[in-house]
Amino acid sequence: ELDSLKSKYNTYSDIAKSFFLRSLVLDSLFVKPEDILKAKDEYNLNIDVNKPVSICLIRINKYSELSNEDILENPKLVKFAVQNIAIKICRRHFPCEPVDMGRDYFILIQNPENLSQENLINIFREVQSTCQSLLGISLSITISRTIKHYSQLTDLYNQTAGNSNYRVILGNHLIIYDEYIKSLSLSTDTKKVFKIQDNLIENLNKPMDVILKHIDDLFEAFGELDYNSIVFSIVRLQKILFDVINDINSKNPDSFIELPYSLNYNMLEINSLDEIKEELIALIAEIKSKELPEPSRSNTSSIALSVKNIIDREYSDFDLNASKISDILNISSSRLSTIFNKYMNMSIPEYLNNVRLVKAAELLKSSDYSISRIMQMVGISNESYFYRLFKSKYKMTPREYAISFNGNENEPV
């Protein structure tokens, strides 16, 4: 079947029609009614965009791996075959037109007529099963809501493309639709995930069964987040793992560790959280097999003392933070934070803020500098942030603190 389509694919001349349909999808507000009428006659459109329309986004799972299979040597041709199968099945039930959106997916613009959501889902299940049996191809399909006017098509496409990303949470070979996404009640609060991530990194030296429990908790928490929050959380995890791995690689170059594909590339390339979980477990197993022995207590305490000395000396530097200190000491920021927390019972930012506030209080007590000048002298640039920190520690504002010691209510601010 692929061979029979090849000549048609290579001689496909309907470029103008494809260009018009892409313009309609991407810039529907700028397409005029007369353009629609002209296109319908000129390109023999199978749809009527002046009637209610919807979109179906069909994504080929693991598209980038298709070129590794001999029978599927041309991924673009395979996508063309999938597109033809989808059209053949769908046009039995409703008018539709395909629009190739590039890379691993295309969409169908369709007039669903009076078909119910359940009927649409069954039709696209047939598309999935046919492509699976004929081509061995797995599809993720996202069905949009129906709109009354084509001018809303661009907004509808953007919403549908966003919903299609939920295959990362829900898994492959699913049919995703608007009402289903809304029913999930997903959260944007990443605090729980961040805490589990930190616990995971801090327990890398523990037995693997303990680590696996943290990983299970992490991915269970991922399942409660919306897609954008998952991406943000994965990027954070990626940064932490980069720090850990770079620390190991710098100390033991003969045992080089590399981040796996799903933790090192665009989230849009990832098919599911299960894929990330599998590679994360394999990566941590590799880290544990190559990680250097834990440093002695004296060595870690000297590192914590070095951090303390840097802060005590450089607190007036506006740019001083944990990342800059880790660069100075040539230690990953995640490892440095763990060591400092362990031996100082507070985080690096907490200690830095405390030093700055103590110095500011001393200056308010013993000098006639303005508050803005004192802020500069202790390395804090944000006035509201300084007032909030100061009042939290001393239970009064900087001005009230200065007056309580020198009695000068006209102290400059």
Side-chain angles (χ1 to χ4, degrees):
E1 186 170 345
L2 286 175
D3 288 339
S4 68
L5 286 169
K6 200 163 191 174
S7 59
K8 183 179 180 183
Y9 175 72
N10 290 333
T11 60
Y12 194 69
S13 60
D14 213 354
I15 298 174
K17 179 179 178 180
S18 298
F19 180 80
F20 170 77
L21 289 172
R22 276 180 64 90
S23 298
L24 182 63
V25 171
L26 298 176
D27 292 299
S28 60
L29 285 173
F30 298 98
V31 178
K32 300 175 182 177
E34 53 266 33
D35 296 333
I36 299 288
L37 292 173
K38 180 181 176 183
K40 187 166 180 63
D41 293 336
E42 189 170 341
Y43 306 134
N44 193 27
L45 293 181
N46 190 254
I47 54 170
D48 185 350
V49 294
N50 289 309
K51 291 183 178 180
V53 295
S54 64
I55 284 175
C56 175
L57 189 151
I58 300 178
R59 189 183 299 272
I60 300 174
N61 296 324
K62 299 190 176 182
Y63 181 78
S64 60
E65 299 176 13
L66 292 183
S67 58
N68 296 330
E69 303 289 340
D70 291 338
I71 194 171
L72 305 175
E73 60 183 10
N74 188 336
K76 290 183 179 179
L77 183 59
V78 172
K79 184 163 72 167
F80 186 70
V82 171
Q83 182 175 298
N84 275 271
I85 290 170
I87 293 169
K88 186 175 181 180
I89 293 172
C90 291
R91 282 182 177 171
R92 293 192 213 130
H93 307 277
F94 51 80
C96 63
E97 284 287 356
V99 188
D100 189 345
M101 302 306 292
R103 191 57 183 155
D104 61 348
Y105 72 97
F106 62 92
I107 66 170
L108 296 181
I109 306 175
Q110 55 207 25
N111 296 124
E113 305 293 337
N114 295 317
L115 287 172
S116 67
Q117 185 83 61
E118 184 179 357
N119 285 337
L120 273 175
I121 290 172
N122 288 334
I123 291 166
F124 285 109
R125 281 194 180 128
E126 184 181 352
V127 173
Q128 284 180 323
S129 62
T130 303
C131 288
Q132 185 71 54
S133 61
L134 291 180
L135 302 172
I137 296 294
S138 169
L139 303 178
S140 294
I141 295 180
T142 307
I143 303 172
S144 78
R145 57 190 169 84
T146 300
I147 56 173
K148 293 182 178 180
H149 196 267
Y150 74 84
S151 62
Q152 302 170 293
L153 203 55
T154 299
D155 286 341
L156 186 68
Y157 165 69
N158 290 332
Q159 182 186 37
T160 308
N163 284 347
S164 75
N165 290 325
Y166 281 91
R167 74 193 186 283
V168 173
I169 305 171
L170 304 173
N172 298 327
H173 207 70
L174 284 179
I175 294 180
I176 301 168
Y177 51 95
D178 210 38
E179 292 83 355
Y180 182 48
I181 295 296
K182 290 177 182 176
S183 72
L184 296 176
S185 301
L186 298 171
S187 171
T188 59
D189 188 356
T190 56
K191 291 178 183 176
K192 179 180 177 181
V193 167
F194 287 179
K195 185 175 181 180
I196 298 172
Q197 287 180 348
D198 292 339
N199 288 338
L200 171 63
I201 298 303
E202 289 172 8
N203 286 280
L204 283 180
N205 61 332
K206 298 288 178 66
M208 198 65 189
D209 59 334
V210 175
I211 293 174
L212 289 174
K213 175 63 169 63
H214 285 297
I215 292 176
D216 286 341
D217 291 344
L218 177 62
F219 281 82
E220 183 179 341
F222 276 153
E224 299 171 2
L225 297 177
D226 69 359
Y227 176 75
N228 290 331
S229 299
I230 289 177
V231 173
F232 183 59
S233 300
I234 293 288
V235 170
R236 182 180 186 269
L237 178 62
Q238 178 191 53
K239 174 64 172 66
I240 294 172
L241 288 171
F242 263 129
D243 287 343
V244 172
I245 290 172
N246 286 337
D247 192 36
I248 295 171
N249 288 342
S250 65
K251 293 175 180 175
N252 193 6
D254 293 332
S255 299
F256 184 78
I257 303 174
E258 185 175 359
L259 277 179
Y261 180 85
S262 65
L263 290 171
N264 203 17
Y265 289 88
N266 196 316
M267 274 290 294
L268 295 178
E269 294 289 327
I270 299 169
N271 289 287
S272 71
L273 285 176
D274 289 340
E275 179 183 324
I276 303 176
K277 184 176 181 179
E278 288 174 8
E279 295 200 10
L280 178 61
I281 291 171
L283 175 64
I284 289 179
E286 186 179 3
I287 289 174
K288 288 181 68 61
S289 71
K290 296 180 180 179
E291 191 171 11
L292 297 177
E294 279 291 307
S296 66
R297 181 178 178 85
S298 60
N299 185 34
T300 52
S301 61
S302 67
I303 291 172
L305 184 60
S306 296
V307 175
K308 181 179 179 301
N309 289 338
I310 290 171
I311 292 175
D312 291 344
R313 184 178 67 249
E314 305 291 340
Y315 65 88
S316 61
D317 180 359
F318 288 103
D319 297 322
L320 188 65
N321 55 32
S323 178
K324 185 171 183 177
I325 295 171
S326 71
D327 289 341
I328 293 171
L329 298 177
N330 195 27
I331 301 174
S332 71
S333 57
S334 59
R335 180 175 176 78
L336 189 65
S337 296
T338 300
I339 291 172
F340 193 84
N341 263 299
K342 183 176 180 180
Y343 288 94
M344 298 296 292
N345 291 319
M346 67 174 71
S347 68
I348 293 175
E350 286 172 340
Y351 182 76
L352 176 58
N353 283 336
N354 188 64
V355 169
R356 284 171 166 168
L357 291 173
V358 169
K359 298 294 182 182
E362 291 175 358
L363 290 168
L364 287 168
K365 192 189 307 184
S366 61
S367 74
D368 57 1
Y369 289 123
S370 68
I371 293 175
S372 59
R373 174 62 181 143
I374 290 173
M375 284 171 51
Q376 293 176 349
M377 293 171 72
V378 300
I380 299 178
S381 58
N382 187 306
E383 184 176 349
S384 61
Y385 179 65
F386 174 64
Y387 268 72
R388 185 167 69 251
L389 287 178
F390 195 95
K391 190 167 185 179
S392 176
K393 181 175 178 63
Y394 293 104
K395 311 305 178 189
M396 62 180 76
T397 67
R399 182 178 177 83
E400 291 167 344
Y401 186 88
I403 292 172
S404 70
F405 282 97
N406 58 36
N408 182 9
E409 295 190 12
N410 296 318
E411 176 266 334
V413 294

